[in-house]
Amino acid sequence: MANMAQAVRMALHYGEKHLGVTDIFGEDVGPPLGGVFTCTQGLKTTWNTPLDERGIVGAAIGLALAGQKPVAEIQFCDYIFNTIDLLKLAGNNNWASNGQYPLNITVMTPAGAGIHGSIYHSHSFDSWASRLTGWKVVMPSTPRDAYGLMLSAIEDPNPVLVMIPKALMRVKGEELIPGEPLEEKDLKERIDAPLGEARKGWEPRWPELEFAPTPIGEAKIVRPGNSATVVTYSRHVFLAMKVADKLAAEGLGEVEVIDLRTIYPYDWAAISRSVVKTGRVLFLNEDTEITNFGEHLLRRTIEEHYYQLRARPRLLAGAHVPGIGLAPPLEEASVPQEHDIERELRALLTELT
Amino acid sequence: MSETSRVPAQPFKDKNFCLSYFRHMVRARALEERLIKMMRTGDGYFWIGGPGEEAFSVALGLQARKGHGVAYDFLHLHYRSNPVVLTMGAPMIDFLRQMKSTALDPFSGGRNFVAHISKKEWNVVPVTSTIETQYAVAPGTAMAQRRARLKGEPAGVTVVVGGDAGTAEGDFASSLIWSTRPGAELPILLIVTNNKFGISTPAESQHGEKNIADRARAFGISAQVVDGNTPEKIWAALETAFDTIRTTGKPYFLEVMVSRLHGHSSSSGAQRTLDEPCCIDAFEKKLLKNAWITEKEIEELKQAAHLEAQEAHDQIKGEPYPEASTFQDHTFADGKRGGVPGRDF
Ligand SMILES: Cc1ncc(C[n+]2csc(CCOP(=O)(O)OP(=O)(O)O)c2C)c(N)n1
Ligand SMILES: [Mg+2]
């Protein structure tokens, strides 16, 4: 099975071959490296940019204004903050021009903690991104969805931000990407650039991939259940599932886990259905907790489902700290861990109505 | 096509060309004066514009190749650029509609301030209030044009315009870097209109560089500092710049020295200042000296321009604002209006 980096690479290959992608660019995105996470190895339209994130987003806007189809990478979302102004402009261009200038832009960026990345390789951007009006914002948790959401992002006529969980870059999927070779080794030989001298003149042998988009705006129930709901995304999907299995084995109930996949426009219908069914809900993500995106979902839950709730709804998010400390105890204290999720879910499941 | 196809070999020795140029300047000034009047009489909330920059703006409006797509010039303008687009041929009434934020404002549908032009049919990309961001964006359209050039397809050039104070922003440095990547130089005309102020702050109190153009020269970009108040000078500089870019595909830089005749904007009163030279007064003297026009004809020309503005104003008096229900329209290009999922759509 492909890992997330390979999945993104295959989607970009499909994009430049079949969907009209004209430019894939960013810091170290082109040869020889093909991206710090190898997401852009072996592609035809990649190029390296100056070390200038504002310039990268600006160039993406300009290329799109001129009818090109750019995919830009910000090397780590930790370095996207100085582009917020330009991201806002990309998001309001069509609206401000009364519909004259839609911008078909995809920006992708690795996000989140979990790789011992210390202060500047652990940032989350999902809550910030939820405020970028005019953007669609997605965050896959599996290679299959990374492939599918990248295709949707490329196809979408609007700016789309794809945040890729850093910690899952090398994690293999459990579902085959349509067209992906059955053998992992085969895929690796075909599309992973060799190291050292062998890289010179190397050409990937792309598999015959299929157009298999994951729709933007559709959540996925990754673990069905009737006792409580966890609404999450990115790497916390797996942590939530693990805890849910453990609690089920103890006989505490079946927790439904929803992988939101899209931050905006988020799938309210899926959340709403599940909350009505279980009456107990935990919103879970790792961005800092004050004005967290999960708080918005919590607010809607209270406003729209107050009388259907059977227990106090909860948010578990990252601590409001200036950064994620490098030493493991510091990182663990800063972003939700398995034991935090377990604590919250136990309380949620056992709270009396 | 650019208007320059009708330009004589020595334009400023040609009476008809000069009279037409003068008329463009006078109309542009009448437009700005009308917009200021509208702001004062409650037909608009805010005014900002380009009175004092007409000699430059008319030249740019006449020399730019207008049309849609990479075959034509892309224009990344700013909030003093009304005269450029008026000269290109946009109806005067369009600017008044934006001033009054009526539903028929063709640039933004009543959403944006006056002089925040957006006109896709002529590659005028949305003017934004954020100072200098256009310099980060412009290399993108120039890259698309470079690509067309390399394929031997028809390709225009990219023009970006902004003020002097804004060059302190990093986006200005970005434009120099991105325009001169070795082997990937861009067909881009970088213009800075230097009126020696950013709102109230004199340039000399913040900038140690002698000329802004020197910063472009450091990147090997051909650059000129040019008097933007004298039509023949700014015309020639723009012509050289456009010619060089169109033949070499390489960037060019112009620092255009201009006047600011009504202060920064309505926020500083928009009063006419008399201590800066006026390009229209100066050009008028030249025309009179050459006996190409009489005082009376000048008066008539100005009257006609004011009448045009007055009539446009009268015409939009009854025009409604956009419907409240349209406030989310065009948030997304695929029909989604934005807002809260499951509640607003
Ligand atoms: C990024 C940003 N910062 C501040 C402002 C507020 N502002 C509007 S105009 C202006 C001065 C610009 O001066 P200059 O670049 O010289 O252009 P001029 O107005 O003189 O033509 C400022 C500070 C803004 N619009 N955008
Ligand atoms: Mg200035």
Side-chain angles (χ1 to χ4, degrees):
Chain A
M1 299 284 172
N3 63 34
M4 185 96 62
Q6 290 171 321
V8 170
R9 210 187 300 154
M10 287 194 279
L12 289 170
H13 164 68
Y14 192 93
E16 55 181 24
K17 188 158 180 216
H18 300 290
L19 304 178
V21 167
T22 54
D23 297 84
I24 300 167
F25 60 102
E27 294 154 13
D28 308 295
V29 157
L33 191 61
V36 289
F37 289 100
T38 73
C39 289
T40 50
Q41 282 182 347
L43 297 160
K44 287 252 181 299
T45 61
T46 53
W47 48 279
N48 289 326
T49 65
L51 205 167
D52 176 13
E53 290 79 17
R54 288 179 69 86
I56 291 168
V57 176
I61 296 173
L63 284 161
L65 286 169
Q68 312 290 296
K69 215 181 219 200
V71 178
E73 180 180 85
I74 300 296
Q75 198 163 62
F76 297 91
C77 83
D78 308 71
Y79 308 115
I80 204 170
F81 290 84
N82 72 340
T83 74
I84 284 196
D85 209 6
L86 287 148
L87 295 173
K88 281 184 67 189
L89 288 175
N92 73 27
N93 235 255
N94 195 52
W95 182 88
S97 64
N98 209 21
Q100 293 183 70
Y101 275 110
L103 293 180
N104 187 332
I105 295 174
T106 302
V107 173
M108 57 181 203
T109 190
I115 60 162
H116 304 293
S118 93
I119 306 175
Y120 269 94
H121 296 81
S122 303
H123 265 99
S124 291
F125 195 64
D126 35 301
S127 292
W128 301 87
S130 70
R131 303 183 60 85
L132 291 173
T133 40
W135 282 78
K136 297 184 182 178
V137 181
V138 300
M139 197 162 186
S141 67
T142 65
R144 172 66 188 88
D145 281 343
Y147 180 78
L149 286 169
M150 280 299 297
L151 293 188
S152 291
I154 290 164
E155 282 262 283
D156 199 286
N158 302 291
V160 181
L161 178 67
V162 183
M163 284 176 292
I164 303 165
K166 263 171 247 170
L168 302 182
M169 275 301 177
R170 299 274 166 259
V171 176
K172 286 166 193 140
E174 291 176 357
E175 193 186 342
L176 216 54
I177 290 166
E180 177 189 342
L182 292 174
E183 291 300 322
E184 231 167 79
K185 200 163 148 275
D186 185 15
L187 180 69
K188 192 173 163 42
E189 277 171 15
R190 283 164 163 272
I191 72 165
D192 284 0
L195 294 173
E197 277 302 298
R199 187 167 291 198
K200 286 207 187 98
W202 168 77
E203 291 268 354
R205 291 176 296 115
W206 297 105
E208 249 345 287
L209 295 158
E210 289 171 33
F211 182 64
T214 301
I216 294 175
E218 267 185 31
K220 187 176 181 186
I221 296 173
V222 290
R223 187 187 192 286
N226 290 317
S227 314
T229 303
V230 179
V231 180
T232 187
Y233 42 87
S234 185
R235 69 194 181 100
H236 281 84
V237 169
F238 301 101
L239 297 181
M241 290 215 286
K242 213 165 151 191
V243 175
D245 287 347
K246 180 175 175 187
L247 298 181
E250 282 181 29
L252 270 176
E254 294 296 338
V255 173
E256 181 148 292
V257 179
I258 296 180
D259 180 356
L260 202 54
R261 304 196 288 192
T262 296
I263 309 286
Y264 188 89
Y266 59 84
D267 189 347
W268 178 245
I271 298 171
S272 181
R273 261 195 310 273
S274 186
V275 169
V276 168
K277 180 171 72 175
T278 64
R280 297 170 193 267
V281 60
L282 169 69
F283 296 98
L284 169 65
N285 67 68
E286 63 177 286
D287 207 340
T288 51
E289 68 179 297
I290 295 182
T291 56
N292 179 285
F293 172 58
E295 285 186 351
H296 165 72
L297 299 176
L298 194 62
R299 189 266 284 178
R300 283 197 77 185
T301 301
I302 292 165
E303 283 188 359
E304 297 179 34
H305 293 306
Y306 188 77
Y307 296 106
Q308 287 141 320
L309 292 174
R310 302 169 61 201
R312 179 174 59 82
R314 291 155 163 87
L315 169 72
L316 180 59
H320 192 71
V321 283
I324 309 289
L326 179 58
L330 300 180
E331 172 161 342
E332 281 158 29
S334 306
V335 291
Q337 305 293 313
E338 230 174 280
H339 60 85
D340 300 313
I341 301 169
E342 186 178 327
R343 184 191 63 235
E344 291 299 316
L345 275 182
R346 270 185 200 284
L348 183 66
L349 283 164
T350 54
E351 186 173 308
L352 292 178
T353 21
Chain B
M1 263 323 287
S2 99
E3 304 277 329
T4 46
S5 51
R6 279 177 263 125
V7 172
Q10 289 187 301
F12 291 91
K13 298 215 163 117
D14 186 286
K15 175 182 161 186
N16 287 336
F17 176 85
C18 288
L19 290 181
S20 152
Y21 200 105
F22 183 63
R23 183 170 166 272
H24 280 302
M25 292 167 77
V26 166
R27 279 182 77 232
R29 181 68 58 85
L31 166 61
E32 296 289 14
E33 286 172 0
R34 172 58 51 174
L35 295 173
I36 292 169
K37 190 176 265 178
M38 286 175 72
M39 188 271 305
R40 297 224 165 98
T41 56
D43 269 347
Y45 297 102
F46 174 72
W47 170 83
I48 194 157
E53 297 189 4
E54 292 88 349
F56 155 69
S57 298
V58 169
L60 180 56
L62 291 177
Q63 292 191 30
R65 291 192 182 156
K66 72 178 190 205
H68 173 64
V70 291
Y72 300 91
D73 295 346
F74 269 95
L75 296 170
H76 300 256
L77 303 174
H78 76 147
Y79 50 70
R80 303 209 188 279
S81 305
N82 277 345
V84 178
V85 183
L86 181 75
T87 303
M88 289 170 79
M92 205 183 264
I93 198 167
D94 287 359
F95 304 87
L96 277 70
R97 287 185 164 128
Q98 190 172 41
M99 181 72 196
K100 197 165 180 263
S101 52
T102 75
L104 292 176
D105 153 25
F107 305 138
S108 71
R111 289 164 181 208
N112 218 337
F113 275 153
V114 70
H116 287 56
I117 303 162
S118 172
K119 197 170 172 66
K120 192 168 188 174
E121 55 174 321
W122 294 345
N123 283 347
V124 179
V125 307
V127 169
T128 59
S129 289
T130 46
I131 297 290
E132 220 64 6
T133 49
Q134 69 271 31
Y135 289 81
V137 170
T141 57
M143 274 180 224
Q145 290 167 320
R146 173 174 182 270
R147 192 165 287 162
R149 285 177 73 91
L150 291 177
K151 286 195 216 147
E153 292 167 3
V157 309
T158 286
V159 181
V160 56
V161 185
D164 53 298
T167 67
E169 300 274 8
D171 294 335
F172 179 73
S174 291
S175 74
L176 301 177
I177 299 265
W178 286 70
S179 301
T180 54
R181 293 166 60 232
E185 294 84 354
L186 297 178
I188 189 169
L189 172 51
L190 304 151
I191 300 177
V192 173
T193 49
N194 187 348
N195 58 20
K196 303 196 180 119
F197 279 99
I199 306 187
S200 68
T201 306
E204 66 207 19
S205 69
Q206 304 302 326
H207 283 252
E209 74 269 35
K210 185 156 175 288
N211 288 118
I212 296 166
D214 294 336
R215 291 157 68 191
R217 290 187 182 113
F219 287 80
I221 302 177
S222 305
Q224 287 188 53
V225 182
V226 54
D227 166 9
N229 275 325
T230 311
E232 39 278 64
K233 288 188 184 156
I234 181 59
W235 180 271
L238 273 170
E239 211 167 40
T240 306
F242 273 117
D243 281 352
T244 310
I245 303 167
R246 292 194 206 285
T247 41
T248 65
K250 302 254 164 72
Y252 203 100
F253 187 94
L254 289 179
E255 177 176 350
V256 185
M257 306 308 293
V258 292
S259 295
R260 190 179 75 167
L261 295 183
H262 282 263
H264 176 70
S265 70
S266 56
S267 62
S268 45
Q271 298 295 337
R272 176 74 152 88
T273 45
L274 295 172
D275 48 3
E276 294 192 41
C278 167
C279 57
I280 295 184
D281 287 352
F283 200 43
E284 197 173 299
K285 287 206 182 79
K286 175 191 152 124
L287 298 180
L288 284 168
K289 195 165 145 247
N290 287 1
W292 284 347
I293 198 167
T294 63
E295 300 266 11
K296 184 162 168 283
E297 284 163 340
I298 289 172
E299 207 36 53
E300 283 166 6
L301 212 72
K302 290 185 176 172
Q303 282 303 326
H306 283 292
L307 193 64
E308 184 186 358
Q310 163 88 60
E311 281 171 2
H313 192 183
D314 290 344
Q315 197 181 323
I316 65 163
K317 281 222 159 101
E319 282 182 9
Y321 289 134
E323 293 282 340
S325 63
T326 64
F327 77 117
Q328 287 173 316
D329 290 1
H330 307 296
T331 302
F332 291 103
D334 48 358
K336 284 224 171 70
R337 298 171 70 235
V340 177
R343 188 189 77 192
D344 298 335
F345 62 91

